[in-house]
Amino acid sequence: MTVNGDILQLEDVAKRFSVRRSPFAPRRSIRAVDGVNLTVRSGETLGLVGESGCGKSTLARLILKLHDVSTGRISFLGQQVHDARGRNLSRYRRQVQAVFQDPFSSLSPRMTAGQIVAEPMIVNGGLSSRETDERVADLFDKVGLNPAWMERYPHEFSGGQRQRIAIARGISLNPKLLVLDEPVSALDLSVRAQILNLLKDLQRNLGLSYLLISHDLPVVSRICTRIAVMYLGRIVEIGPAREIVANPRHPYTKALFSAVLPEHPRAHHQRIELEGEVPSPLDIPSGCRFRTRCPIAVERCEVEPPANLMINSDHMAECHFAIEKPNHGGELK
Amino acid sequence: MNMIDTQAKRKTTVSQDPPAFLHVDNLRTEITSRRSGRVVRAVNGVSFRLERGRILGIVGESGCGKSMTAYSIIRLLPRSARTVGGRIELEGVDLLALREGEMAKLRGTRIAMIFQDPMMTLDPLFTIGDQLAEPLRKHKGLSGGPLRERMLELLRQFSISSPETRLRQYPHELSGGMLQRVVGAIALAADPELVIADEPTTALDPTVQAQYLDLLDNLKKSRDLSLIIVTHDFGVAARLCDDILVMYAGRAVEKAPVEATFDTPLHPYTQALLKLVNLSDTDGGDHFVTIEGSPPDLSEPIEGCPFAPRCPHKMPICADEDPPEFAVDSGAASCWLYSETAT
């Protein structure tokens, strides 16, 4: 499909959690991720956007093997990994690493910056302590930190520097894919631009692929190759970033992007209001899961779940009206 | 000395104007570190005016003193912080001179606060109804039927669906956006004239944030409210604010009507920040433009302009003398670029 090929593939991946409201209530099943098909291509930045509770973090945890899938398949470079155990699992985990949002809680306060970066290498073994030290110094250099700071503790660093430590740790095992969960949301504007620049450099120099999870749509629009939009456990639209921003086809994507705050006080664009709140993943609506809030929903949406509608070979939207117009005349601006 | 000279200039520019609804003059608030005993000058000579029915955005990066300015006004500073100088006048009443009991009476009735985290306001053990009733009983003397009517009306004003049910619910049963609206309803229960909101939408999803900002905008118009919004987000400022105050290193470096701030930012710091907001500037290659360096340590004395070490327009005078505030067009900037004589 592409010149570079796919690195990670998810086929019909689902994750259900079993919950009960009170100690004696019957167990019910939450469909947190509900039939996701997704590929990450080699060298790309795939943005995953959606609002709280849409399942994007659960999806990231499935990819990182912090959760096991309930059903479906995950494969990495052609190898099936969702049921990997033992040696295969460790090999997979070396190749897929993560950087999380909050550099204040994701770094252990009791370890020095050097120890934090070295830990994955020590766990994986194979390096002498001198080799490890050299590698840590090299990593510090790569992410723009002074190697002389290896002995310092996380609290001695600023937010941006901490995120650099987290990134150094993330790339310490030469992964192929980095899952970035809101990597710049907690950072100030000036630091945000620096970290985004660093991520770009690393991607180019190390041939990394990124899965970027974020609710910051302006950042996602600027740095992603493709964007996937998630709603209530499913990818409802995916395509090249430029197309998703300029010409979204799913009514939810349109509403989401219309809520982006203006760049200028005079730039007042029409916002698409969504009725009500996101339904509970305990009670996913029949048919199209977005229909309860959709401004163009018709009867058909209640009974028939929209199939993956391909707008072109690279752009999919799960909406009956992604291509044709609704026949009741309701038209989205 | 220079500092006295600067303060004198600020005073004279201010006292010529008619009295404002809220007038903050040369506010100084310090934080004393418990461990090291070092004193951080978190707010260092901030002055501004706010009129009725207007929204002022205090914008800046972390540690610039924007939240401390807000908490100084409503006098809800953490124990380690103390306002050490300046005046805060609400329609001529000097808030800093009031006894704590008098100030407590003012909070809620005339000034209210909305925090970033709704759970700063809400108690998880009480229902929404209990917590909304409290200010109405205490400040408005309502009870029984009229109390319930007023509570439902407030919840409706904040576009809260099925208000009758909400009154019986506990905070954990509501979504983040819903909780932030409840907190807004509680803040406005006793009809305050001034509302201070510290990053009220930062924790909310984009669609919920947009709805909440619409709501604040409508309330301002319908109630003739004055609002101070503390935010790091220029998008929030663009959407909602009438005036912008940009803070850096504990100082107000620029003040202007919102359109002027976006059209012709005066201070080099504001100019740089606005380019970062939309990641609109690249260095010619594929790198975003950034501001080199970092803000100064506010526990150390600062020579000259605090932004000088990072400033692309630095002049010799900037390293030696702290710039006073210069009036420029509709706004003002603390920057030597706007002095006719400085070099």
Side-chain angles (χ1 to χ4, degrees), chain A residues 107-118:
Chain A
L107 304 179
S108 165
R110 291 166 182 273
M111 291 164 74
T112 64
Q115 287 169 335
I116 289 170
V117 175

Side-chain angles (χ1 to χ4, degrees), chain A residues 215-219 221 245 253-263 267-272, chain B residues 206-207 209-210 213 235-236 239 278:
Chain A
H215 66 264
D216 188 337
L217 297 174
V219 166
S221 325
V245 174
T253 314
K254 292 183 193 191
L256 198 59
F257 278 86
S258 80
V260 172
L261 293 171
E263 295 188 358
H268 278 300
H269 48 247
Q270 192 57 45
R271 196 155 59 74
I272 300 164
Chain B
T207 55
Q209 174 181 51
L213 295 175
V236 170
R239 166 66 191 86
N278 303 309

Side-chain angles (χ1 to χ4, degrees), chain A residues 51-52 188-190 192-194 197 200-201 204 215 222-223 259 261-266 271 273 277, chain B residues 61-62 175 178 205 207 209-211 213-214 235-236 238 259 262-263 276-279 286-288 290-291:
Chain A
E51 300 190 279
S52 333
D188 274 323
L189 286 176
S190 53
R192 181 180 79 168
Q194 289 164 10
N197 286 342
K200 272 190 176 177
D201 288 344
R204 193 174 33 218
H215 66 264
R222 293 267 186 236
I223 69 167
L261 293 171
E263 295 188 358
H264 190 283
R266 279 193 298 270
R271 196 155 59 74
E273 280 274 2
E277 297 202 32
Chain B
E61 298 186 279
S62 33
S175 67
M178 215 36 106
D205 277 319
T207 55
Q209 174 181 51
Q211 286 167 2
L213 295 175
D214 285 354
V236 170
E259 295 202 358
F262 280 83
D263 287 337
L276 291 169
V277 172
N278 303 309
L279 299 166
D286 62 353
H287 279 144
F288 301 118
T290 67
I291 309 177

